Amino acid sequence: MLTIIGCGNLNRSDDAVGVIIAQRLQQYLIKNPHPHVQIYDCGTGGMEVMFKARGSKQLIIIDASSTNSEPGAVFKVPGKELETLPEPSYNLHDFRWDNALAAGRKIFKDDFPLDVTVYLIEAENLGFGLELSPAVKHSADVVFEEITAIIRQKVELF
């Protein structure tokens, strides 16, 4: 099973990029069904990421980043490099997808994907808004195409 998860906040301009790509991929999957691919919009819920990833062999996470890089820059990073155990907290909002990777591996062991890739798209605007900036929109199209190619490749394997 390949699980693809988009993360972000639809009300924060470029922070929505992961969710928007996931929603586009869901529409793609409706037109091009594959029983071994599942796609989720997990918004900002790290716990949801952890539970949706469980049982998959391969996981792709898509989110915005804010690293002072060029807006629209795409970083494709192995999940192992980004996973971090969560700090003790009483607030689930503090439990992010990077925490979900570490906690999921620790809790679910062999039932959690080892093959994890994270696509991060550098944001230009994280303020309130409903539109992606042009650079991020272009990068979203590029990442969408790359992931649909991965899905098509998976179809050829079965």
Side-chain angles (χ1 to χ4, degrees):
M1 180 68 68
L2 165 62
T3 298
I4 301 165
I5 296 176
C7 297
N9 183 335
L10 284 171
N11 298 312
R12 301 293 302 238
S13 299
D14 292 339
D15 190 39
V17 70
V19 170
I20 289 170
I21 294 171
Q23 291 173 349
R24 286 181 63 194
L25 289 167
Q26 287 170 332
Q27 293 303 310
Y28 174 84
L29 205 58
I30 288 170
K31 295 176 184 165
N32 305 279
H34 191 286
H36 300 288
V37 177
Q38 53 191 7
I39 302 167
Y40 299 105
D41 160 5
C42 287
T44 58
M47 290 295 272
E48 190 174 0
V49 171
M50 185 175 75
F51 287 108
K52 296 294 187 188
R54 182 182 186 186
S56 296
K57 296 293 180 212
Q58 183 181 8
L59 174 63
I60 296 174
I61 295 176
I62 312 155
D63 199 3
S65 62
S66 180
T67 63
N68 293 321
S69 296
E70 183 72 25
V74 177
F75 305 98
K76 185 176 174 182
V77 185
K80 192 77 175 154
E81 291 185 25
L82 299 172
E83 66 183 51
T84 58
L85 284 171
E87 295 292 324
S89 171
Y90 294 106
N91 185 346
L92 284 179
H93 291 288
D94 294 336
F95 190 88
R96 303 174 318 266
W97 60 256
D98 56 335
N99 304 136
L101 294 178
R105 190 166 327 290
K106 190 172 189 138
I107 293 167
F108 301 126
K109 303 199 183 317
D110 292 338
D111 201 26
F112 202 79
L114 291 175
D115 183 355
V116 179
T117 303
V118 180
Y119 285 85
L120 297 170
I121 300 173
E122 186 70 14
E124 181 175 335
N125 177 11
L126 295 172
F128 290 114
L130 302 175
E131 301 291 326
L132 297 178
S133 63
V136 171
K137 183 178 181 336
H138 171 75
S139 295
D141 293 340
V142 170
V143 170
F144 173 82
E145 290 302 324
E146 187 168 326
I147 293 175
T148 56
I150 292 168
I151 293 170
R152 284 191 303 274
Q153 184 180 40
K154 192 154 195 71
V155 168
E156 293 170 5
L157 294 174
F158 287 94

